[in-house]
């Protein structure tokens, strides 16, 4: 009987100090008694930011190839430190950098995608009775250049390794106990979800529940990897992110998420002609700015207004582009007004329960909260509201769908 194979990933806070690394080593040593382990580590907390700052101190626009070499060092250090800590406890371990286990990626530096992984060297080390410790977040492109997978990318390393090795489980140890129905700092009776489907998690992740890198969830979905997100500070079970199960639709709403990092741009008097949406959004996309919600009104007198949201950090850049286009196409003014928040209610059960959107609107109306924009998908309703009502909106929506004070919805 071979022992089960488990991938465990420890995030930055979990390995943030020498003491924390020792604590992780204790946990890994315990787990290694029952399972063969592949352990993925992030850089020590704050380290990636520190390294990026060093690069930016030398150039406002560091070469992406060199930037990747700089930041990949954070994970290199922790992988070796954890191996040393394990060895000191008498647990044989060996560290591996991305290229040493052939984590091949494309060449999109700073946001590379994994293409393939060769598990042979990991299995050889496992067969030799060692714990395999992998530096997360990094890979190597077709020309042998070091690449990184985007912020939070160690999650994706862990899920990809679980998929590549056919691991029995993938455990992501982090500084929260799991995925909550909403941010417990806003709603104290928010509760931990026992399990959530990939699709719900994707909606929640992209909406600001920053528990897992979005790409790791996409990966998990594609390869059917069941992911257990749990705390590295206690032994409580966390949240399982899993394929959709038949009874999941019984719960209408899984969670209420919010995103304070968006801004809204309105462009008035856009001539109502074919091709103009493309003229406006193509140059924005070309700059790599992700437009989220878009609303276009029905034209009147040959003109229409267009409102859309962009990440707040890219507001100025987006406004500059839109103003240039506006001049070229003879549109009116482009402006951004007020601080906004996008609040989203997410749940597989929306597919089979009618009237969720109406209930959301009524709930907000009762509090006098004005809705500025609305967008919906099969399992999500998002509204844009004035940022000053964020807490209130999240609280009343959570209470409406997930229970006031009562837990276990
Ligand atoms: N160290 C990288 C970051 O801070 C990757 C990770 O932690 O997952 O984004
Ligand atoms: Mg993370």
């Amino acid at each position: 009987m071979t022992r089960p194979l488990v991938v465990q990933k420890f995030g930055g806070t979990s390995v943030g100090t020498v003491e924390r690394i020792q604590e992780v080593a204790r946990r890994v040593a315990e787990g290694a008694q029952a399972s063969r382990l592949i352990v993925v580590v992030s850089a020590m907390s704050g380290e990636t930011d520190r390294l990026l700052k060093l690069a930016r101190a030398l150039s406002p626009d560091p070469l992406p190839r060199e930037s990747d070499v700089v930041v990949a060092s954070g994970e290199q250090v922790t992988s070796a430190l954890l191996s040393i800590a394990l060895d000191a406890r008498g647990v044989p371990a060996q560290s591996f950098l991305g290229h040493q286990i052939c984590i091949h990626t494309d060449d999109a530096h700073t946001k590379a995608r994994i293409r393939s992984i060769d598990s042979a060297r990991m299995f050889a080390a496992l067969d030799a009775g060692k714990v395999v410790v992998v530096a997360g977040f990094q890979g190597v492109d077709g020309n042998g250049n070091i690449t990184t997978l985007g912020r939070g990318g160690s999650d994706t390393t862990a899920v990809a390794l679980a998929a590549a090795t056919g691991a029995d489980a993938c455990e992501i140890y982090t500084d929260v106990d799991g995925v909550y129905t909403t941010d417990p700092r806003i709603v104290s009776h928010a509760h931990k979800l026992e399990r959530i489907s990939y699709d719900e998690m994707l909606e929640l992740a992209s909406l600001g529940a920053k528990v897992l890198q979005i790409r790791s969830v996409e990966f998990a979905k594609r390869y059917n990897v069941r992911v257990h997100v749990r705390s590295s500070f206690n032994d409580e079970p966390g949240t399982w992110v899993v394929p959709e199960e038949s009874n999941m639709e019984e719960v209408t709403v899984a969670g209420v998420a919010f995103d304070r990092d968006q801004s809204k741009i309105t462009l008035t008097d856009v001539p109502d002609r074919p091709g103009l949406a493309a003229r406006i959004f193509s140059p924005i996309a070309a700059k790599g700015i992700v437009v989220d919600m878009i609303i276009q009104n029905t034209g009147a007198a040959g003109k229409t207004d267009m409102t859309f949201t962009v990440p707040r950090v890219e507001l100025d850049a987006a406004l500059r582009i839109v103003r240039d286009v506006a001049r070229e196409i003879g549109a009116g003014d482009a402006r951004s007004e007020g601080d906004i928040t996008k609040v989203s209610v997410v749940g597989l059960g929306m597919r089979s329960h009618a009237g969720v959107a109406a209930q959301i609107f009524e709930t907000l109306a009762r509090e006098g909260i004005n809705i500025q924009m609305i967008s919906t998908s099969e399992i999500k309703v998002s509204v844009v509201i004035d940022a000053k009502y964020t807490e209130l909106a999240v609280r009343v929506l959570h209470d409406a769908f997930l229970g006031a004070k009562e837990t276990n919805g």
Side-chain angles (χ1 to χ4, degrees):
M1 274 295 284
T2 50
R3 294 176 306 152
L5 175 60
V6 177
V7 174
Q8 298 187 331
K9 180 252 169 181
F10 292 90
T13 10
S14 312
V15 293
T17 62
V18 165
E19 291 73 32
R20 294 289 318 152
I21 291 175
Q22 263 161 346
E23 179 52 28
V24 168
R26 187 198 60 75
R27 240 198 144 108
V28 169
E30 211 176 272
Q33 290 172 8
S35 311
R36 293 173 296 154
L37 288 185
I38 297 174
V39 181
V40 177
V41 287
S42 291
M44 296 168 82
S45 58
E47 182 64 5
T48 306
D49 288 333
R50 188 186 72 86
L51 293 167
L52 279 172
K53 227 166 111 191
L54 289 177
R56 288 194 188 124
L58 295 163
S59 159
D61 206 8
L63 292 166
R65 180 189 183 279
E66 306 307 334
S67 190
D68 273 353
V69 176
V70 172
V71 290
S73 68
E75 274 71 10
Q76 169 165 348
V77 169
T78 24
S79 65
L81 288 178
L82 179 59
S83 303
I84 291 169
L86 284 165
D87 176 71
R89 300 184 74 93
V91 179
Q94 187 173 337
S95 68
F96 291 96
L97 302 181
H99 71 86
Q100 292 175 317
I101 50 167
C102 308
I103 300 188
H104 284 291
T105 71
D106 61 19
D107 59 5
H109 283 289
T110 77
K111 47 177 182 298
R113 280 179 186 272
I114 296 176
R115 285 193 171 148
S116 64
I117 295 175
D118 179 358
S119 306
R121 210 165 158 196
M122 288 185 287
F123 278 119
L126 290 168
D127 290 346
K130 290 178 186 163
V131 171
V132 168
V133 183
V134 175
F137 180 52
Q138 51 173 267
V140 60
D141 75 6
N143 293 315
N145 297 304
I146 291 176
T147 54
T148 64
L149 309 178
R151 297 309 302 266
S154 299
D155 293 338
T156 301
T157 305
V159 173
L161 288 178
T165 59
D168 299 289
C170 181
E171 302 180 332
I172 306 276
Y173 288 89
T174 178
D175 50 2
V176 295
D177 330 320
V179 181
Y180 275 71
T181 49
T182 194
D183 187 338
R185 284 170 301 189
I186 291 187
V187 180
S188 60
H189 52 278
H191 59 273
K192 186 168 67 190
L193 293 159
E194 241 168 75
R195 52 177 198 157
I196 186 169
S197 68
Y198 298 129
D199 287 326
E200 288 167 317
M201 190 62 211
L202 284 170
E203 296 288 6
L204 290 171
S206 61
L207 299 168
K210 297 171 180 107
V211 187
L212 284 177
Q213 195 197 34
I214 296 174
R215 238 182 231 180
S216 73
V217 184
E218 289 166 358
F219 222 101
K221 181 179 172 184
R222 178 140 28 106
Y223 295 100
N224 258 302
V225 177
R226 302 169 78 87
V227 178
H228 188 187
V229 183
R230 56 190 306 189
S231 170
S232 61
F233 301 101
N234 60 51
D235 291 323
E236 298 295 309
T239 301
W240 282 90
V241 187
V242 293
E244 189 174 332
E245 290 157 16
S246 57
N247 59 347
M248 276 183 169
E249 274 195 23
E250 285 163 19
V251 180
T252 315
V253 169
V256 179
F258 57 94
D259 181 356
R260 302 183 203 253
D261 299 328
Q262 297 281 320
S263 288
K264 187 179 73 169
I265 293 177
T266 298
L267 177 61
T268 56
D269 295 324
V270 181
D272 198 5
R273 288 201 311 268
L276 286 190
R279 285 284 294 278
I280 296 167
F281 294 109
S282 299
I284 297 179
K287 273 270 179 266
I289 299 175
V290 179
V291 174
D292 181 22
M293 293 163 95
I294 302 177
I295 288 181
Q296 185 195 305
N297 286 326
T298 315
K303 306 245 176 188
T304 182
D305 288 353
M306 222 173 261
T307 302
F308 56 95
T309 60
V310 294
R312 175 160 306 146
V313 288
E314 289 177 312
L315 173 62
D316 291 339
L319 266 177
R320 269 197 301 278
I321 296 170
V322 176
R323 287 194 173 124
D324 285 347
V325 177
R327 262 192 304 278
E328 287 164 24
I329 63 176
D333 190 24
R335 53 180 203 278
S336 166
E337 70 224 346
D339 274 348
I340 56 155
T341 297
K342 180 171 80 168
V343 179
S344 303
V345 178
V346 175
L348 284 181
M350 282 186 200
R351 290 196 298 234
S352 46
H353 294 71
V356 175
Q359 203 184 333
I360 292 170
F361 305 150
E362 280 160 22
T363 304
L364 295 173
R366 226 173 290 129
E367 303 297 329
I369 299 173
N370 188 39
I371 299 170
Q372 302 178 12
M373 298 172 86
I374 299 169
S375 81
T376 63
S377 78
E378 209 187 8
I379 63 165
K380 177 188 75 168
V381 176
S382 298
V383 295
V384 165
I385 59 168
D386 189 327
K388 69 177 184 241
Y389 297 123
T390 307
E391 280 83 3
L392 178 62
V394 170
R395 206 170 293 133
V396 293
L397 289 172
H398 187 275
D399 287 355
F401 291 101
L402 290 148
K405 287 287 172 203
E406 270 290 307
T407 51
N408 299 321

